[in-house]
Amino acid sequence: MPKHWEEELWIFSGITAIAGLAGLLTGQLLPCLLSGLLAYLGWHVYQLAGLLQRLRHNKHAAGRALGLWKAVNNALLEQKTAGHARVRELSYQLDRFRDTVNSLPDAVAILGQQQRVDWSNPAAGRLLGIDWPDVTGQPLTGLVKDPLLNEYLADGKFSQPLVVTSPKNRAIILSLFVAPLKREGNRQLLVARDITREYHLDITRRDFVANVSHELRTPLTVIAGLAEQLALDSSDTGMLQRSIELVQQQAERMTVLVSDLLTLSRLEMQHESSHDDSVAVPELLATIAEEAVALSGEAQHVVQLDLESQNGLRGDAGELRTAFTNLVANAIRHTPGGAEVRIRWQVDGNGAHFSITDTGEGIAARHIPRLTERLYRVDASRSRDTGGTGLGLAIVKRVLDHHDAELEISSRVGSGSTFTCHFPAERIIPLPG
Ligand code: ADP
């Protein structure tokens, strides 16, 4: 038997026994038993009143409760304690949810009746200008005065997200969607995400595909035209010879373009170079300088090599060779024959520096920030004539990114340019000998 029942039984038996004994002694058994029962009832009423009092005043001490009342008190106390723990747990979960949503980079807002703002996170202020709690209860359409967004909200067709510029900052592109909150009547959840980077990447990618197609189509058109001409008349041996040379030239151009594209795509697929070689830069530059003389050929550029340091670099030998060769080849291609091109390697307190200075045509300041874009050329037809693909500096930029290095370009139209690659001190290594 549970303890409280046992206790209750003892109380009842005690009262009955005392009343019975008093009845036997006084010869008034029935009235005494009735008085005993009344006392027992009175004690219960007293306990009930005590419990009511405690519940009213939110106290939960069992006090002098006995028997069943003690059990009732304890059960209530347990329930109350469990209730408190649940409230604490729920408020912790709510705080955690709020913290999470508040630290999200995406704008989140809850819209009530007529799309009035019920709640929003700080990102909604930054991206949409919805500054909660100041705007609580205001209709979203009045806050975000964007016709596209208002049309989207009014339409109620939210199967596709809407791409709009941020009303707070026109440079930010947002992807926004609204979802109904099923358990919350007419309430809606609005989420807006900053997709500026992806948006521009997508445009760049589309432009790039269009430009590459154009670059490849030009030599193909030439080759197809020549083949057509030769199919009609191939008796003229002089023309046949010229045509073959032209086809060779165009095929070579396509090969160089495809090879540069492959190099660039390989570099872009990795975030850092896969090799960690000890690159003997002075030796490498001596070879590149010799190759520059060969490339210049009859143009007879004066290639000057200033090796002011005998240190090398930690990095990918193949990638560094490609980058330096591209810069040197550009200098030769954009400098008139006989003029000087200077290759320099130095180390100072700021790191290691490879630079190539030419005395060529130079570049107007407005082009400089765009030179490392893929297929960007100051003068496309001139670049093609000199065998350029427009990918060289994009390749250089990716190689330098892999080596934590920066490219600096300084130039003056008519007097020449200097391209400098700045490598951090951590990459410098002493070379044996
Ligand atoms: P390209 O293959 O056309 O040379 P790059 O990416 O190497 O492509 O260079 C992009 C453009 O930068 C070139 O088309 C050219 O207009 C300009 N450029 C690069 N290097 C030089 C230089 N040393 N002097 C003048 N212009 C240069």
Side-chain angles (χ1 to χ4, degrees):
M1 189 188 291
K3 203 166 172 287
H4 49 271
W5 273 112
E6 214 175 281
E7 217 173 81
E8 188 67 35
L9 213 63
W10 274 110
I11 294 166
F12 181 72
S13 328
I15 291 175
T16 320
I18 293 166
L21 197 67
L24 285 176
L25 288 176
T26 56
Q28 301 280 326
L29 186 62
L30 202 62
C32 281
L33 277 176
L34 268 174
S35 307
L37 276 176
L38 266 175
Y40 180 63
L41 195 68
W43 178 76
H44 271 290
V45 173
Y46 171 74
Q47 290 292 335
L48 190 62
L51 179 66
L52 195 66
Q53 189 80 354
R54 282 197 291 281
L55 285 177
R56 277 212 182 114
H57 294 96
N58 211 15
K59 286 184 189 152
H60 42 72
R64 283 189 297 277
L66 287 169
L68 284 177
W69 289 107
K70 200 171 176 179
V72 171
N73 253 306
N74 288 344
L76 279 172
L77 182 63
E78 263 168 37
Q79 247 183 34
K80 202 164 178 175
T81 318
H84 276 313
R86 256 187 47 211
V87 168
R88 261 202 310 275
E89 174 63 22
L90 279 176
S91 87
Y92 167 72
Q93 297 284 4
L94 197 67
D95 284 349
R96 215 167 68 159
F97 172 75
R98 244 188 223 148
D99 278 355
T100 313
V101 182
N102 281 348
S103 55
L104 273 181
D106 299 347
V108 180
I110 293 177
L111 309 177
Q113 297 288 338
Q114 286 137 22
Q115 289 167 335
R116 289 173 189 276
V117 179
D118 266 4
W119 176 87
S120 68
N121 68 350
R126 275 197 316 275
L127 298 175
L128 293 167
I130 306 176
D131 293 308
W132 187 81
D134 304 354
V135 297
T136 311
Q138 293 187 34
L140 185 70
T141 42
L143 286 169
V144 184
K145 293 187 182 73
D146 184 303
L148 258 177
L149 176 66
N150 290 345
E151 205 178 298
Y152 179 73
L153 289 171
D155 239 14
K157 291 181 194 139
F158 304 129
S159 53
Q160 291 290 324
L162 173 76
V163 175
V164 273
T165 50
S166 156
K168 274 300 274 273
N169 179 352
R170 293 278 157 203
I172 296 178
I173 314 286
L174 299 175
S175 166
L176 181 147
F177 76 88
V178 176
L181 291 171
K182 290 206 180 74
R183 289 163 188 258
E184 304 244 349
N186 286 334
R187 284 176 161 209
Q188 291 170 324
L189 174 76
L190 176 137
V191 179
R193 154 169 287 198
D194 181 349
I195 55 155
T196 315
R197 212 178 105 79
E198 292 93 318
Y199 182 82
H200 288 300
L201 274 178
D202 196 39
I203 291 184
T204 315
R205 189 182 52 79
R206 269 185 273 164
D207 284 356
F208 183 59
V209 171
N211 290 338
V212 167
S213 313
H214 178 75
E215 289 292 329
L216 287 171
R217 205 178 53 197
T218 317
L220 275 175
T221 313
V222 176
I223 292 172
L226 288 169
E228 206 174 300
Q229 217 171 319
L230 289 178
L232 290 175
D233 176 19
S234 55
S235 55
D236 181 343
T237 46
M239 193 189 88
L240 187 65
Q241 187 57 36
R242 275 198 310 280
S243 299
I244 290 171
E245 276 167 21
L246 268 172
V247 167
Q248 268 173 343
Q249 260 177 31
Q250 297 301 322
E252 221 166 89
R253 214 179 112 189
M254 277 169 63
T255 311
V256 174
L257 179 64
V258 171
S259 143
D260 274 3
L261 279 172
L262 287 173
T263 307
L264 188 61
S265 96
R266 188 174 45 76
L267 288 167
E268 285 184 343
M269 272 197 279
Q270 301 161 352
H271 289 296
E272 50 187 45
S273 51
S274 45
H275 291 88
D276 203 10
D277 313 318
S278 297
V279 186
V281 179
E283 222 172 89
L284 174 65
L285 293 184
T287 314
I288 290 175
E290 277 171 27
E291 287 169 359
V293 174
L295 177 70
S296 169
E298 285 174 13
Q300 297 203 328
H301 291 89
V302 179
V303 180
Q304 178 88 27
L305 177 62
D306 294 344
L307 296 174
E308 293 170 28
S309 163
Q310 284 307 312
N311 282 314
L313 281 177
R314 199 169 44 74
D316 187 312
E319 287 188 8
L320 289 172
R321 189 191 167 93
T322 305
F324 295 163
T325 307
N326 270 331
L327 290 172
V328 174
N330 272 354
I332 297 283
R333 291 210 321 262
H334 296 281
T335 305
E340 190 187 274
V341 165
R342 186 170 171 224
I343 302 169
R344 194 168 173 216
W345 175 239
Q346 53 165 165
V347 167
D348 60 21
N350 297 321
H353 316 277
F354 160 83
S355 67
I356 168 94
T357 304
D358 65 58
T359 45
E361 70 215 38
I363 309 156
R366 67 176 189 284
H367 296 295
I368 292 180
R370 299 197 58 192
L371 289 183
T372 54
E373 284 176 21
R374 296 178 293 187
L375 294 171
Y376 186 84
R377 284 177 291 208
V378 173
D379 178 345
S381 60
R382 204 179 164 277
S383 161
R384 272 188 215 111
D385 293 346
T386 54
T389 60
L391 294 171
L393 291 179
I395 291 174
V396 171
K397 174 81 173 59
R398 301 302 179 284
V399 171
L400 295 189
D401 285 349
H402 284 182
H403 291 82
D404 319 305
E406 300 278 337
L407 178 66
E408 185 190 338
I409 306 170
S410 60
S411 186
R412 271 183 56 198
V413 177
S415 28
S417 320
T418 297
F419 287 74
T420 311
C421 307
H422 299 287
F423 294 90
E426 304 84 74
R427 287 211 168 252
I428 302 171
I429 47 161
L431 292 171

